[in-house]
């Protein structure tokens, strides 16, 4: 396996960026992003703080266990605590999102996934760095979505003034311990992402694999880039013209791997029906990896997301949903 994923420079001219995005999204739905303007030092500080957190004893980490995050569904989950594709993942992690005040109407109404994040008292820097990183990546994601809109012959503010005027934003930090040798488990099992766009920062250890039309390929780290991929909602919006592509992770580096996926998704309350004029005839007719028909779903993005998240955290589902 070698990496065949394209690199797109977000600082290049708009038409070129849009054309590159169209090619990538019609192929594997994955590309590397450069020219994004996020300072390297921000990620470096976040990486250092996250390593400090994951090195804490388990009971210290469990002080901010997800079960304590209530309906906001934030905090720490231990190795084996998350099930992608029905099997426990070989990773632990931290879940964050937009910090909403207690008097936000959505928090008052008890809407799942809305509220404030849990930050560890042992690593206070995270409470500063995470919101700064989320703000920076939100700007990048809006810029990428502008280019996605242009690539679909839509007005460039199609998303910014609609689905992502009030986006659903989820941010996670994952720690993948080295896979025991001979182990055939996955750090993250095969899955597609749920929303519009994922921007992934990964450390130097690698392990991400992407199921392109030519088979599985590695997405090795390229310093200074994000791995960017589209999610189920862009697949659904475009009637399969753009594909959300399965990917998975196995950490065979022998080191502690960290990754930082940032998910940029539609407004929780929005239904995301296929775009008029982007009928199935545009798509290549390949059945989806899991047999699911994304067009068959009716409901809001929030309902779609909760259905997915409830499957990967079955123990929380009962308490929160
Ligand atoms: O850790 C990675 O490299 C990818 C994680 C991922 O695919 C996800 O969180 O959806
Ligand atoms: Fe993913």
């Amino acid at each position: 396996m070698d990496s065949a994923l394209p690199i797109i420079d977000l600082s290049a001219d708009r038409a070129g960026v849009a054309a590159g995005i169209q090619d990538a999204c019609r192929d594997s739905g994955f590309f590397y992003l450069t020219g994004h303007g996020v300072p390297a030092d921000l990620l470096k500080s976040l990486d250092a703080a996250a390593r400090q957190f994951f090195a804490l004893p388990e009971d210290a980490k469990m002080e901010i266990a997800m079960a304590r995050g209530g309906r906001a569904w934030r905090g720490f989950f231990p190795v084996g605590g998350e099930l992608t594709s029905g099997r426990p993942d070989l990773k632990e992690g931290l879940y964050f999102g937009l910090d909403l005040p207690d008097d936000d109407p959505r928090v008052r109404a008890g809407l799942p996934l809305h509220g404030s994040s849990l930050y560890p008292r042992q690593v206070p820097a995270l409470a500063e760095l995470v919101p700064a990183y989320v703000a920076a990546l939100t700007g990048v994601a809006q810029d990428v979505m502008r280019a996605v809109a242009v690539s679909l012959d839509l007005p460039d503010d199609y998303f910014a003034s609609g689905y992502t005027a009030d986006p659903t934003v989820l941010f996670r930090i994952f720690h993948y311990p080295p896979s025991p040798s001979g182990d055939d488990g996955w750090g993250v099992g095969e899955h597609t992402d749920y929303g519009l766009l994922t921007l992934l920062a990964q450390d130097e250890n690698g392990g991400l694999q992407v199921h392109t039309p030519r088979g599985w390929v590695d997405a090795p780290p390229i310093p200074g880039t994000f791995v960017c991929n589209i999610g189920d909602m862009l697949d659904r919006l475009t009637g399969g013209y753009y594909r959300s592509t399965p990917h998975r992770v196995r950490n065979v580096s022998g080191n502690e791997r960290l990754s930082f996926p940032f998910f940029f998704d539609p407004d929780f309350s929005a239904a995301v029906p296929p775009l008029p004029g982007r009928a199935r005839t545009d798509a290549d007719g390949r059945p989806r990896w899991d047999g699911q028909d994304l067009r068959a779903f009716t409901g809001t993005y929030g309902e779609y997301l909760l259905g997915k998240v409830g499957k990967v955290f079955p123990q929380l589902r009962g308490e929160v949903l």
Side-chain angles (χ1 to χ4, degrees):
M1 285 193 294
D2 56 352
S3 183
L5 304 176
I7 300 178
I8 294 176
D9 180 354
L10 193 58
S11 67
D13 68 287
R14 167 171 299 200
V17 174
I21 284 182
Q22 184 179 76
D23 285 347
C25 293
R26 296 224 58 192
D27 185 48
S28 67
F30 270 79
F31 53 93
Y32 291 90
L33 195 69
T34 60
H36 48 67
V38 177
D41 274 358
L42 179 55
L43 190 59
K44 206 170 145 203
S45 307
L46 189 62
D47 182 283
R51 281 181 203 278
Q52 226 183 313
F53 174 79
F54 289 117
L56 291 171
E58 195 79 359
D59 57 347
K61 292 187 274 194
M62 289 301 279
E63 284 180 22
I64 55 163
M66 284 186 80
R68 301 198 177 172
R71 303 181 74 78
W73 221 318
R74 312 281 171 89
F76 170 72
F77 69 88
V79 173
E82 180 170 358
L83 284 76
T84 305
S85 298
R87 285 188 60 183
D89 293 335
L90 292 172
K91 66 168 172 13
E92 59 182 349
L94 284 164
Y95 268 54
F96 302 102
L98 291 178
D99 289 318
L100 298 177
D102 289 347
D103 63 358
D104 184 284
R106 293 164 293 184
V107 181
R108 293 222 326 243
L111 206 58
L113 296 175
H114 291 72
S116 45
S117 298
L118 302 177
Y119 296 106
R121 64 183 172 86
Q122 297 88 345
V123 189
L126 280 172
E128 307 284 331
L129 291 166
V130 168
Y133 188 78
V134 166
L137 274 275
T138 298
V140 176
Q142 294 285 23
D143 286 349
V144 175
M145 290 310 295
R146 262 183 213 103
V148 168
V150 172
S151 82
L152 291 168
D153 299 324
L154 297 167
D156 77 343
D157 68 344
Y158 179 82
F159 292 100
S161 66
Y163 290 123
T164 64
D166 186 8
T168 303
V169 171
L170 306 173
F171 175 53
R172 297 169 186 171
I173 304 179
F174 291 143
H175 167 223
Y176 301 81
S179 281
S181 64
D183 186 276
D184 67 349
W186 291 97
V188 177
E190 178 176 357
H191 69 282
T192 55
D193 296 344
Y194 315 140
L196 291 170
L197 202 70
T198 305
L199 292 168
L200 174 83
Q202 51 175 337
D203 71 8
E204 66 283 3
N205 291 305
L208 174 64
Q209 302 177 2
V210 177
H211 201 183
T212 72
R214 295 163 297 286
W216 286 97
V217 303
D218 284 328
I222 301 180
T225 68
F226 296 112
V227 176
C228 185
N229 65 285
I230 60 170
D232 292 346
M233 289 303 114
L234 257 183
D235 191 321
R236 180 175 146 91
L237 264 172
T238 61
Y241 183 67
Y242 287 180
R243 279 299 177 122
S244 59
T245 291
H247 50 285
R248 62 191 183 190
V249 174
R250 182 176 280 154
N251 175 18
V252 292
S253 66
N255 304 320
E256 315 289 331
R257 175 182 193 257
L258 290 194
S259 77
F260 305 82
F262 170 88
F263 301 93
F264 191 69
D265 295 355
D267 191 314
F268 199 78
S269 62
V272 188
L275 287 162
R278 286 277 169 205
R280 211 187 166 129
T281 47
D282 269 330
D284 59 12
R286 271 183 289 154
R288 213 177 109 94
W289 65 292
D290 57 358
Q292 190 187 352
D293 180 357
L294 289 174
R295 279 159 294 266
F297 175 77
T298 53
T300 61
Y301 177 62
E303 286 160 342
Y304 184 77
L305 179 61
L306 292 176
K308 294 284 189 179
V309 177
K311 280 205 188 82
V312 296
F313 289 110
Q315 76 286 12
L316 272 174
R317 183 177 52 203
E319 294 163 33
V320 173
L321 295 183

